Amino acid sequence: MEAMEVESSLIVLDSGSSTEVDEDDDDEGDQREQAAARSPPRLPATWAFSQRAVGSAARGGPMRRRLRQGLRVHYPSQTAAPSRGFPDFLLRAPAASAAEPGSGSTTEISESEEEEGEEEVVEWGGEGAALEPVDPPALPSSPRLNARHTQPPEAAPSHSSPAADAERTLQSTQPLLAPPAPAPSSSPGEEGEGDVCSICFEPWTTAGEHRLSALRCGHLFGFTCITRWLKAQGSAAKCPQCNKKAKRSDIVLLYAPKLRALDNSEQEILKKSLEQEQGLRRKAELESAQYKLKLQVVTTKYGQAQQELQELRAMMAGRVPVYSSSSSSSSSLLLGLSQSSRSAQYVFSKAILVSIAGGSRVLSYCEPLSCLLASQPSPHSTLVPGCGVKKVSVVNMKASQYVPIHSKQIRGLSFNRQNDSLLLSAALDNTIKLTSLLTNTVVQTYNAGKPVWSCCWCLDNSNYVYAGLSNGSVLVYDTRDTSTHVQELQPLRSRCPVASLCYVPRAASSSFPCGGLIAGSLEGGCFWEQVNETTYRPHLLPLETAGCTDIQVETESRHCLVTYRPGRSNPSLRCVLMSLTRTPQQDSSALPQVSVAPLQSFSAGPSGKLLTKNAVFRSPGGAGGLVCAGDEASNSTMVWDASSGSLLQKLPADLPVLDISPFSVNGEHFLASLTEKMLKLYRWE
């Protein structure tokens, strides 16, 4: 019975597969022992192999195993960590032919069950070490391990105990075990994902039929694959990845031994986030600047309110009995002071950049177009040299466009009363020009022969315009005559440049009914009374003989504002408000004489280097008038009450104020102050 058990083949269950073991003759056994002696010893892969090896040794011959197509091979790892368990390193291997005799290795064949369709399992092991039959050690409760490493009762030798066999097996295999190798960080498929053709999933090459190629859309393929793809689809061929139309001529061969694309998607996302953050930051900075400016305005108002409160307390404390002894008069005085303290004033509205490089000089308001015009040099001097005007819309408070007019600096801007949007401009290029702001083109040019310092329209007859020259004379032009001037008004005194020209229209006034032209030079002023269209009668005005820089006229009240530079007798810039008078007032045989009488004087700081232009106009509140002048020392616009001479406001600016222009739009009143770069707008509230 024991002989029959030794002679019979050992069958070991391994995941439901069966194993055949064939015995060879003695000669073959000797050859295998010699080959095993030459080869290094190997560790048995499984307990089943050790049992078969013992069984084969008991029968007196080595095992010969056949390898068939479609096998799954277990390669034993000789570097595995020592453990009582068994290595479970599974590797797929292509099918191989049957092992040749005498190869020095043994093969265990496990055929899969036919109904499950599993592949066969082949386990490789060494034969160099002497093996004894052992029983399997205790294993975790796993169905796979139990199925693979459970020995049938009839295959176990009768003379060996399980405990002794397991101990001998561990002692023989423990010196051969080594620490396990580190696991790879990433699979080969992930590393080479971008190096294969997306059609055949095979790596493309740098030469040959399957060389690297691309379509016009940029996707990469093997040359043969994409050629067949396009040929199979015919005229409706598309890219396999993006479905864009493609054809055979779109294939481009790429000469790149190795391609590597940098993934910058996160970088682009970060760039977009940075741009958004920068935009929000600029917006926040702009809002911060606006709030700072508003805070400055509120602080100014608070300071003025504190000053008025102190004055009111002082008057209540000791000055009230001086003016009146009755309580009724004192109460009326306090009521008037409280009303004046709550009176309206100019509040900052917006600052508009006119010229980055500077160079702005004069300012004017066009009522039909509701826009301010500020002179400035050309912002593109290389393409469009010269000077022009910048349009600033007062509806949306934005600078709209630049209109080129002159080749040199502009010194005067003026509009007529006809609302035809014709701008009269005077410049140092010896010309005055008429420009239509509806088409932004120059419609008429007059050459004066001398640099023109000032200009104005005739408010009684819009066909005539005036130009003040650098030699002190005034040229009269008729817009109906495009050739030259029709009359020249010679200076009565020295030939100083005419810095300002203002026309006083005729009015039904008993004190000053006549109309004419006021020409102001650096050495005084002259009133040219217009008797008829061609006759002008001169009247020298009793002004100071030096330092007169500007003369402005308020047509309704017939008041004029004369500005004087600081001098020895007066160390500050002075603005003197005067009234035009005529003697005799009634018609008589004697020729009338025109003169001026001073009303109020205003001090505007110790500096007056620039030929600034000031303003006198009716108060937006409807009571009295206002006088505005620029203070060069403090870079501000000063606002006075014309009747009382008291300072009402001091509007700050970044640079010296060069020109001031009041205007109204949509029932609201504004004041515009111009510096070399900025235009500031203030609303009357």
Side-chain angles (χ1 to χ4, degrees), residues 162-197:
D165 293 343
E167 183 178 359
R168 285 191 297 270
T169 302
L170 292 175
Q171 291 177 358
S172 61
T173 59
Q174 187 173 3
L176 299 179
L177 298 177
S185 59
S186 61
S187 62
E190 295 178 356
E191 295 180 356
E193 183 177 356
D195 300 335
V196 297
C197 174

Side-chain angles (χ1 to χ4, degrees), residues 296-306 345-347 685:
Q296 183 180 1
V297 174
V298 172
T299 305
T300 304
K301 287 184 178 181
Y302 177 75
Q304 293 177 358
Q306 289 289 340
Q345 59 182 354
Y346 285 107
V347 178
E685 294 181 357

Side-chain angles (χ1 to χ4, degrees), residues 210-232:
H210 202 258
R211 67 184 304 172
L212 180 62
S213 60
L215 292 177
R216 183 170 295 181
C217 58
H219 293 107
L220 305 178
F221 310 95
F223 180 74
T224 54
C225 294
I226 190 60
T227 304
R228 294 172 184 172
W229 177 277
L230 297 179
K231 185 177 180 181

Side-chain angles (χ1 to χ4, degrees), residues 275-288:
E275 292 177 357
Q276 293 178 357
E277 292 296 332
Q278 290 177 349
L280 294 176
R281 181 180 178 182
R282 287 192 295 268
K283 184 178 179 181
E285 290 177 353
L286 181 59
E287 292 179 354
S288 176

Side-chain angles (χ1 to χ4, degrees), residues 359-406:
S360 297
R361 183 73 187 182
V362 291
L363 184 67
S364 184
Y365 177 68
C366 179
E367 185 176 357
L369 299 180
S370 298
C371 67
L372 285 167
L373 300 176
S375 66
Q376 69 166 92
S378 174
H380 307 286
S381 58
T382 56
L383 300 177
V384 185
C387 297
V389 293
K390 172 67 71 68
K391 282 185 176 182
V392 178
S393 175
V394 296
V395 178
N396 55 9
M397 301 296 179
K398 292 183 179 179
S400 56
Q401 55 185 328
Y402 168 79
V403 181
I405 300 177
H406 292 274

Side-chain angles (χ1 to χ4, degrees), residues 583-604:
T583 57
Q585 298 181 1
Q586 302 297 330
D587 295 337
S588 63
S589 58
L591 294 177
Q593 296 295 325
V594 176
S595 180
V596 291
L599 298 176
Q600 289 286 348
S601 181
F602 312 94
S603 178

